[in-house]
Amino acid sequence: MDHFPTNWGRPRNDAFDHYNTYPIPVRPQNNAFADSVQRTQQPIVTGTSVLGLKYKDGIMIASDTLASYGSLARFKDIKRLHQVGDFTAIGASGDMSDFQALQRDLESLIISEEVTEQDGHKLGPKEIHEYLSNVLYGKRCKMDPLWNSVIVGGFKDGERFLAYVDLLGTTYTSSTIATGYGAYIAQPLLRKAVEGKEDVLTEAEARKILEDCLRVLFYRDARSLDKYQIATVNASGPSISDSIKLETSWGFAEGIRGYGAQTQ
Amino acid sequence: MPSMEHVAHPQQRAFNPYTENGGTILAIAGADFTVIAGDTRQSEGYSIQTRYAPKVFRLTDRAVLAVNGFAADGNMFVKKVKQRLEWYRHAHAKDMPLRAIARLIQTMLYAQRFFPYYVYNILGGIEDDGTGAVYSFDPVGSYEREACRAAGAAQSLVQPFLDNQIYFKNQQAAPGQTHPSHLPLPDVLSIVIDSFTSATERHIEVGDGLEMYIVLAKGRNTQGMESLHGVQELSSKLDGERVFVVRRELKKD
């Protein structure tokens, strides 16, 4: 009989330490599945760019709703934006299963905070971002990363907050942020439209800027979709839109070989 | 009896836990002051992530730490150093001396010898004897005290300039005269500013903003800082060492 309760219910390995000769603290791992445990070494089902900006009354985050399986457009209505607590929204690109694990993690964080609800403190965007960067940095140190680039945005105590964190634990704040392909295509457009105008841009103007950027991304990023969501966080809290169809025009392509129907 | 030999399988992983976030840091010690500076651009590859991410941090009234390399490691390292200094304050009711902070940083870096913080540290401040000091470190903790040091993306551009301007390398003193061992504060400040404007011209990862910390020895007046505008004092008391910060714009292209 195995007298060590920690071994009970686990697969037996008679080839190893048959007579339980090791004291518990230094007992060799007896995990028959050790060779089969895999960590995320590459993203599988992925989301493309997420965009974020600051505007007059708060922040906005936008992303399309596609989760790709390589070059296959696998899931076409996946929510990549998520509300956390009363003041924060996050958006993620990268591995969608890792992101959904993060969502559950944040959900349990918010629930565990309910115990101390009476203390008058609530988790704002800064705290959520700090928490996320510690989670992601901690996982990278274990060489077991959560393969995402996350934009965290929010509004609390009259203050806007927009920041980034990725699978390495790299963080920064900026008045415009774009992940993935958007860092090359949308970020220059965002900077031109937003930098220096953070305090004058209205909600409608900010929305227009993001839509224009998503449109350019849809035209040029092969892993994107013409269906998107926008999260807005201002003094009245976060609100995440339903999926919206992006208006596109392909009239210019009529005469260009390689776009429309081929005539020769 | 079955073999107890453990067969290790070599594993290769695609995941690289490190990246390089650009930027440059620099520190110069004077006789009774030290200047510690860094640019504020953070980049990855050819992309600028943000134009303002501080790399230079006030630790105490007489110690300032500049970190350069992998930004995530840098921020975590600074966080842990600050935590150790707070514990020291609670245990001893005083700030840790500069040379002790330097040794602390060495042990903290070497503790991670086999999964290093990919960070080059430069610690600047005032020693117990009132002299300006600069300590520079490599990622695994080798360190020495110096009069000046540049590190980071534009180290290869800035350090030779400092060798020439601070150590007077390849310069002949005028007949009957010797080179000074320490420069006055205004000279040091203009050398620092010139170093960063030049590095910004020639290195794509340097630019956006310059953050300069000035630490003055106990009892030293602010002579030499009159010409600087926008100086902000960060000292917690006026009768000890004093810390100031100055911010300047650098080219953003």
Side-chain angles (χ1 to χ4, degrees), chain B residues 19-67:
Chain B
T19 187
E20 179 94 55
N21 294 106
T24 280
I25 51 174
L26 160 65
I28 301 175
D32 52 3
F33 66 88
T34 302
V35 179
I36 306 97
D39 70 328
T40 64
R41 176 177 292 182
Q42 190 179 106
S43 58
E44 190 173 13
Y46 289 130
S47 301
I48 296 173
Q49 293 183 315
T50 180
R51 299 191 192 280
Y52 185 71
K55 279 193 274 289
V56 191
F57 302 90
R58 191 195 82 104
L59 299 178
T60 66
D61 273 355
R62 56 185 162 193
V64 173
L65 182 62
V67 290

Side-chain angles (χ1 to χ4, degrees), chain A residues 14-17 22 35 39-41 130 134 137 139-145 147 164 166-174 176 183-184 187 191 195, chain B residues 2-6 9 11-19 21 42 44 47-53 70-73 75-77 79 115-117:
Chain A
D14 287 334
F16 213 75
D17 193 24
Y22 290 89
D35 286 344
R39 306 156 190 271
T40 308
Q41 294 181 36
E130 186 72 22
N134 283 324
Y137 183 79
K139 295 285 277 181
R140 89 104 215 185
C141 291
K142 291 180 184 153
M143 293 297 278
D144 184 14
W147 213 290
Y164 167 97
D166 68 13
L167 71 166
L168 294 173
T170 309
T171 55
Y172 57 87
T173 66
S174 184
T176 62
Y184 304 110
Q187 181 72 297
R191 286 193 179 146
E195 270 183 7
Chain B
S3 161
M4 303 239 311
E5 235 176 292
H6 178 67
H9 302 284
Q11 288 199 357
Q12 63 153 14
R13 294 217 170 93
F15 176 62
N16 174 202
Y18 292 112
T19 187
N21 294 106
Q42 190 179 106
E44 190 173 13
S47 301
I48 296 173
Q49 293 183 315
T50 180
R51 299 191 192 280
Y52 185 71
F70 173 33
D73 272 353
N75 291 329
M76 182 54 72
F77 187 70
K79 191 155 108 178
F115 188 19
Y117 288 114

Side-chain angles (χ1 to χ4, degrees), chain B residues 137 154 161 166 172 208 211-213:
Chain B
F137 301 80
F161 175 63
I166 307 290
Q172 201 98 61
D208 291 331
E211 217 161 41
M212 265 190 307
Y213 282 73

Side-chain angles (χ1 to χ4, degrees), chain A residues 166-206:
Chain A
D166 68 13
L167 71 166
L168 294 173
T170 309
T171 55
Y172 57 87
T173 66
S174 184
S175 55
T176 62
I177 297 177
T179 71
Y181 226 81
Y184 304 110
I185 293 182
Q187 181 72 297
L189 304 169
L190 287 171
R191 286 193 179 146
K192 195 172 179 184
V194 175
E195 270 183 7
K197 298 199 252 315
E198 293 90 348
D199 299 324
V200 286
L201 285 177
T202 64
E203 185 168 333
E205 287 169 331

Side-chain angles (χ1 to χ4, degrees), chain B:
Chain B
M1 190 176 162
S3 161
M4 303 239 311
E5 235 176 292
H6 178 67
V7 185
H9 302 284
Q11 288 199 357
Q12 63 153 14
R13 294 217 170 93
F15 176 62
N16 174 202
Y18 292 112
T19 187
E20 179 94 55
N21 294 106
T24 280
I25 51 174
L26 160 65
I28 301 175
D32 52 3
F33 66 88
T34 302
V35 179
I36 306 97
D39 70 328
T40 64
R41 176 177 292 182
Q42 190 179 106
S43 58
E44 190 173 13
Y46 289 130
S47 301
I48 296 173
Q49 293 183 315
T50 180
R51 299 191 192 280
Y52 185 71
K55 279 193 274 289
V56 191
F57 302 90
R58 191 195 82 104
L59 299 178
T60 66
D61 273 355
R62 56 185 162 193
V64 173
L65 182 62
V67 290
N68 195 245
F70 173 33
D73 272 353
N75 291 329
M76 182 54 72
F77 187 70
V78 169
K79 191 155 108 178
K80 296 206 162 185
V81 170
K82 281 183 171 172
Q83 186 178 44
R84 295 289 295 265
L85 293 179
E86 186 174 331
W87 290 345
Y88 183 96
R89 234 173 351 254
H90 292 319
H92 300 102
K94 64 165 190 165
D95 281 336
M96 193 186 282
L98 192 70
R99 63 190 163 80
I101 300 177
R103 180 63 64 86
L104 172 74
I105 288 173
Q106 134 136 109
T107 50
M108 288 178 68
L109 288 169
Y110 195 79
Q112 289 280 20
R113 175 62 180 78
F114 298 108
F115 188 19
Y117 288 114
Y118 184 48
V119 169
Y120 288 88
N121 284 286
I122 299 179
L123 174 71
I126 303 294
E127 291 284 18
D128 282 349
D129 65 4
T131 57
V134 167
Y135 291 91
S136 69
F137 301 80
D138 81 351
V140 288
S142 315
Y143 78 113
E144 66 173 329
R145 185 180 167 180
E146 295 175 292
C148 73
R149 168 64 65 183
Q155 178 188 38
S156 57
L157 282 72
V158 177
Q159 190 66 50
F161 175 63
L162 296 180
D163 290 343
N164 181 247
Q165 292 295 308
I166 307 290
Y167 292 124
F168 297 102
K169 292 285 165 65
N170 298 89
Q171 290 198 64
Q172 201 98 61
Q177 287 189 315
T178 53
H179 292 305
S181 58
H182 290 289
L183 292 178
L185 184 53
D187 295 26
V188 169
L189 288 171
S190 35
I191 286 171
V192 170
I193 292 170
D194 288 351
S195 297
F196 276 93
T197 40
S198 306
T200 303
E201 282 296 328
R202 286 290 185 172
H203 201 112
I204 55 169
E205 292 173 1
V206 181
D208 291 331
L210 167 61
E211 217 161 41
M212 265 190 307
Y213 282 73
I214 304 163
V215 192
L216 300 182
K218 202 179 290 184
R220 187 197 194 277
N221 56 23
T222 58
Q223 190 204 340
M225 292 171 56
E226 303 85 2
S227 55
L228 282 180
H229 53 91
V231 182
Q232 191 190 337
E233 178 152 10
L234 304 172
S235 331
S236 60
K237 51 186 186 298
L238 287 175
D239 56 345
E241 290 85 359
R242 298 172 73 183
V243 195
F244 302 86
V245 64
V246 194
R247 297 191 175 84
R248 285 280 177 280
E249 292 290 301
L250 289 173
K251 282 171 72 175
K252 296 180 192 306
D253 55 1

Side-chain angles (χ1 to χ4, degrees), chain A residues 201-252:
Chain A
L201 285 177
T202 64
E203 185 168 333
E205 287 169 331
R207 186 177 296 273
K208 169 85 165 49
I209 292 167
L210 285 177
E211 278 166 6
D212 288 346
C213 288
L214 287 167
R215 186 160 23 249
V216 175
L217 279 171
F218 177 60
Y219 285 145
R220 283 296 172 185
D221 178 1
R223 307 281 172 268
S224 67
L225 198 66
D226 55 351
K227 230 172 127 190
Y228 68 97
Q229 285 182 290
I230 288 188
T232 313
V233 193
N234 51 33
S236 45
S239 66
I240 300 179
S241 74
D242 291 331
S243 303
I244 308 167
K245 181 88 167 143
L246 194 63
E247 293 305 321
T248 49
S249 56
W250 295 91
F252 71 93

Side-chain angles (χ1 to χ4, degrees), chain A residues 10-11 34 39 45 69 74 82-83 88 90 92 103 123 137 149 176 179 199 204 217 228-229 234:
Chain A
R10 294 190 182 187
R39 306 156 190 271
V45 178
Y69 181 80
R74 181 65 182 82
H82 179 66
Q83 176 176 343
T88 313
I90 64 173
Q103 289 179 339
L123 293 180
Y137 183 79
S149 299
T176 62
T179 71
D199 299 324
L217 279 171
Y228 68 97
Q229 285 182 290
N234 51 33

Side-chain angles (χ1 to χ4, degrees), chain A residues 13 31 46 49 58 64 68 73 86 110 122 131-132 154 156-157 164 211 251:
Chain A
N13 185 356
N31 184 354
T46 59
S49 328
D64 67 25
S68 310
D86 297 336
I110 296 295
K122 286 196 163 176
Y131 177 82
L132 271 180
K156 186 167 184 274
D157 303 328
Y164 167 97
E211 278 166 6

